[in-house]
Amino acid sequence: MANNKRKRDNAPESESVEKTEQQSTKKVKAPAPTKAARASSNSSTSATPFKVDNTSPIHIQVVAGSYDRVLHGITATVTPTTTTTSTPSKNKKKAASETTTTSYKVSFADTFLFNAHASAIRCLALSPPSVPTPGQKGGLKVLLATGATDERINIYNISAHPPSAKAADDQKLLNSITPRPVLENPKNRELGTLLHHSSNITRLVFPNRSKLLSASEDSTVAVTRVRDWALLHTFKCPIPKAQGRPSGDTAALGAVPAGVNDFAVHPSNKIMISVSKGERSMRLWNLETGKKSRVLNFPKDVLMEIGEGKHSTGEARRIVWGEDEFAVAFDRDVIVFGMDCRPRCRVMRQDVVGSRMTKVHEIKYLSLGKQEGAEEGAEEKNVLAVATEDGRILFFDTAEKELLEPPAPEEPKEGAGEHKIKLFEAKTPNAKLIAQLGGKTASVLGRIKDFTVLPIEEEETGKRSWFIASASSDGRVRMWRLESNDLLVKEDEGLKAGRQVGELLGTYETENRITCLDAFVMIPRPEGSVESEYEFDSEESEDDDDSDDE
């Protein structure tokens, strides 16, 4: 494997950050993304469904990073099995009715397993697959970027196709002596290391095939061009001033916590929002000019409702874009903002979730597709998925017509005396809980650190379903399957909101403390294609195509 290390390049820096602006309610002018941008964007909303049939197995490449510096690649093969049962009719003149059911079984195999960094892996990202070119000898590829607390970003090439049958036969002898199945792909290789940051890497995103965005605790967001891995631009976020904040495990002695927690790129690739440590605000950036657009302070009354009061940090941990909204996750709650940058609703209210406030680890949007009976040209319905500390993935409907009104304020008790305590009145509505996945009901007790949603669509019927790969801190990777009707609540059919949904297909023990996870559905190799050892011969021609997007 090549081990080419590219040092930091001198790049133009963004202008000095101005003083924090006042809360603005001006609507964000985010242009609607084109179909190409939607298909290639690696945003938090589930991507275009992968079309499959009911007879062929589905190969899913799962990549997980861990506290133990280990980068674990797992190939999950989901095999559908169709069973037809006939029920005799009570009327002898009528033929027996037949019912066809499809069950799914999953098998796991190790694709790669090695120490990728010198310290704990914090984040990773997968790019969209490469575009096939005329005369291409090898197959398609996917870029993998991993970031850790060693200030490095490692880049790898991963084949977008499952290993060939010949490679599987060659490894039968190896599988006979290993405790777990091994399905190594010889097309995977390392490209090199990027040194664009001076502190821990916190977030990695491929907004498209030609760019890589990375965030770090050095309070910067770097934009790297994939074609030659050159540093194009660096967005600098200010370091908060010390205001009696404690030091310790989150900051050096005498310093304050600093660094970018997360950022989200709009599907149009023209706007970015970032959230940082020690700040009760979020920052909007113009990706076309490379400058700061605005600073939006979180409303104090909303922070009080979600438990981020005066003595809390009030900082956001995660942020994702939806269709016409964006969600910001805090320590124990999530706030959904509209395009006018005003809070629309919260998510984790205690009486809605059904338990005490639990920590939020990851949030993503999931597209349900067009609803039955919807008008032509209507937008697809999205739901918000939230991974929690108690081992659940909660699905919420954030549409304005489905929001729940805030509870009525409590009245002071009788006989409290002349001095009555003024109770806090909640004014923010809550999103409607549709369903939940995992938890005690499914024997999942450990926290879910990360998860990814893979939409699947049948070619014949057009029926949509989802595979969800979740990772827990106990080292277990679980593969779930959701039906198309699991996330639709129909009161006339007696379906209750907040019900348990999903089918657990299988669990894989990695024996490592997982911190991050991502996955993609592998593309079947076209018939008649040559299985060459030089999988990436067409890299130069592909880079030329990627440069057209810049």
Side-chain angles (χ1 to χ4, degrees):
M1 292 186 180
N3 191 20
N4 301 327
K5 297 185 179 180
R6 302 184 181 274
K7 297 184 179 180
R8 181 186 307 180
D9 300 327
N10 294 328
E13 299 179 351
S14 59
E15 295 182 357
S16 58
V17 180
E18 303 172 358
K19 295 182 178 180
T20 304
E21 302 175 5
Q22 296 180 353
Q23 172 70 23
S24 175
T25 58
K26 185 178 179 181
K27 191 172 183 178
V28 177
K29 296 181 179 180
T34 60
K35 293 182 179 180
R38 290 177 186 266
S40 62
S41 176
N42 190 21
S43 63
S44 298
T45 306
S46 55
T48 306
F50 190 88
K51 296 186 179 297
V52 298
D53 54 41
N54 291 333
T55 57
S56 302
I58 304 170
H59 301 276
I60 300 175
Q61 178 66 65
V62 182
V63 183
S66 65
Y67 283 109
D68 310 301
R69 306 171 297 167
V70 174
L71 185 64
H72 204 149
I74 307 166
T75 300
T77 303
V78 181
T79 305
T81 304
T82 303
T83 305
T84 303
T85 57
S86 59
T87 305
S89 177
K90 295 181 179 179
N91 190 350
K92 297 181 179 180
K93 296 182 179 180
K94 294 183 179 181
S97 60
E98 294 184 352
T99 305
T100 303
T101 58
T102 303
S103 59
Y104 295 85
K105 294 183 179 180
V106 63
S107 59
F108 298 95
D110 288 336
T111 307
F112 51 84
L113 180 65
F114 62 97
N115 290 339
H117 290 268
S119 57
I121 300 176
R122 294 281 298 273
C123 54
L124 58 86
L126 292 169
S127 73
S130 59
V131 179
T133 56
Q136 184 173 350
K137 296 181 181 179
L140 306 182
K141 58 183 179 179
V142 172
L143 291 174
L144 167 64
T146 61
T149 56
D150 58 0
E151 308 173 5
R152 296 172 178 266
I153 301 175
N154 291 346
I155 309 296
Y156 304 90
N157 253 332
I158 295 181
S159 175
H161 307 289
S164 62
K166 180 181 178 181
D169 293 338
D170 295 341
Q171 298 178 24
K172 287 184 178 180
L173 179 60
L174 180 62
N175 290 332
S176 63
I177 61 176
T178 56
R180 299 185 295 190
V182 177
L183 192 60
E184 184 179 4
N185 196 327
K187 309 299 187 296
N188 300 338
R189 62 183 65 181
E190 182 182 0
L191 295 182
T193 300
L194 302 179
L195 303 175
H196 294 168
H197 295 280
S198 60
S199 188
N200 303 337
I201 310 299
T202 57
R203 199 64 164 177
L204 294 169
V205 170
F206 282 97
N208 50 49
R209 177 69 190 181
S210 61
K211 300 292 187 300
L212 169 64
L213 273 67
S214 57
S216 172
E217 290 186 358
D218 60 3
S219 298
T220 62
V221 178
V223 181
T224 304
R225 184 170 54 200
V226 172
R227 177 160 52 91
D228 54 1
W229 301 110
L231 180 62
L232 299 181
H233 191 75
T234 300
F235 295 93
K236 283 193 172 183
C237 301
I239 299 176
K241 296 181 180 180
Q243 297 179 354
R245 296 179 57 84
S247 60
D249 57 350
T250 58
L253 183 62
V256 295
V260 179
N261 283 333
D262 195 11
F263 64 90
V265 179
H266 190 267
S268 64
N269 294 334
K270 295 183 179 181
I271 295 177
M272 178 180 70
I273 301 181
S274 66
V275 290
S276 302
K277 294 182 179 181
E279 290 188 333
R280 294 173 173 249
S281 61
M282 51 187 172
R283 299 179 181 274
L284 272 68
W285 305 87
N286 190 329
L287 295 180
E288 293 182 326
T289 62
K291 297 181 180 179
K292 183 189 68 174
S293 176
R294 283 186 296 153
V295 177
L296 303 174
N297 297 321
F298 298 128
K300 293 183 179 180
D301 55 343
V302 177
L303 291 179
M304 288 289 293
E305 291 185 33
I306 64 174
E308 297 288 343
K310 180 179 180 181
H311 301 288
S312 300
T313 60
E315 65 186 33
R317 309 301 175 93
R318 287 285 182 262
I319 182 168
V320 293
W321 278 102
E323 192 68 26
D324 58 348
E325 62 188 27
F326 58 94
V328 181
F330 295 82
D331 189 27
R332 297 181 183 274
D333 211 329
V334 181
I335 299 178
V336 178
F337 291 83
M339 295 304 293
D340 56 358
C341 299
R342 293 181 178 178
R344 177 181 297 178
C345 64
R346 55 180 295 200
V347 169
M348 302 291 290
R349 204 172 71 194
Q350 184 173 351
D351 60 326
V352 175
V353 176
S355 62
R356 61 181 179 85
M357 295 183 67
T358 180
K359 190 173 182 179
V360 175
H361 288 284
E362 189 60 65
I363 55 174
K364 294 182 187 295
Y365 275 99
L366 186 147
S367 176
L368 302 183
K370 294 183 179 180
Q371 304 300 307
E372 297 181 0
E375 299 179 358
E376 187 176 354
E379 295 183 354
E380 297 184 354
K381 183 178 181 60
N382 294 333
V383 297
L384 180 63
V386 181
T388 63
E389 179 82 11
D390 54 7
R392 295 184 296 170
I393 298 179
L394 306 175
F395 300 94
F396 295 90
D397 189 351
T398 59
E400 292 187 9
K401 61 181 181 179
E402 299 292 342
L403 298 183
L404 306 177
E405 293 297 328
E410 299 180 2
E411 298 182 359
K413 298 180 180 180
E414 298 181 358
E418 299 179 357
H419 302 283
K420 295 183 179 181
I421 301 177
K422 184 179 180 181
L423 301 177
F424 180 78
E425 180 180 358
K427 299 181 180 179
T428 306
N430 202 92
K432 181 179 180 180
L433 177 62
I434 301 176
Q436 67 177 18
L437 179 72
K440 292 183 179 180
T441 306
S443 300
V444 180
L445 303 179
R447 58 184 176 184
I448 297 180
K449 287 290 292 183
D450 203 354
F451 70 98
T452 186
V453 181
L454 304 173
I456 302 294
E457 186 175 293
E458 297 180 4
E459 291 181 344
E460 297 181 358
T461 62
K463 185 179 179 181
R464 181 176 296 191
S465 59
W466 300 270
F467 288 109
I468 297 181
S470 64
S472 303
S473 296
D474 56 4
R476 296 178 181 177
V477 175
R478 295 178 175 88
M479 186 64 65
W480 308 81
R481 184 178 181 273
L482 284 178
E483 292 284 353
S484 57
N485 296 327
D486 285 345
L487 300 181
L488 297 177
V489 178
K490 298 181 181 180
E491 297 179 357
D492 54 348
E493 297 182 4
L495 299 180
K496 297 181 180 180
R499 67 193 187 283
Q500 187 76 21
V501 297
E503 175 189 2
L504 178 61
L505 301 181
T507 304
Y508 188 77
E509 294 278 357
T510 63
E511 300 179 359
N512 296 306
R513 295 175 59 195
I514 301 177
T515 57
C516 51
L517 175 140
D518 206 348
F520 67 93
V521 180
M522 306 187 81
I523 304 172
R525 189 179 296 275
E527 296 182 1
S529 63
V530 179
E531 296 182 359
S532 172
E533 290 295 331
Y534 301 96
E535 181 82 355
F536 312 108
D537 287 343
S538 59
E539 183 175 357
E540 295 181 0
S541 61
E542 181 196 336
D543 290 340
D544 295 338
D545 296 338
D546 291 341
S547 62
D548 297 337
D549 300 334
E550 299 174 5

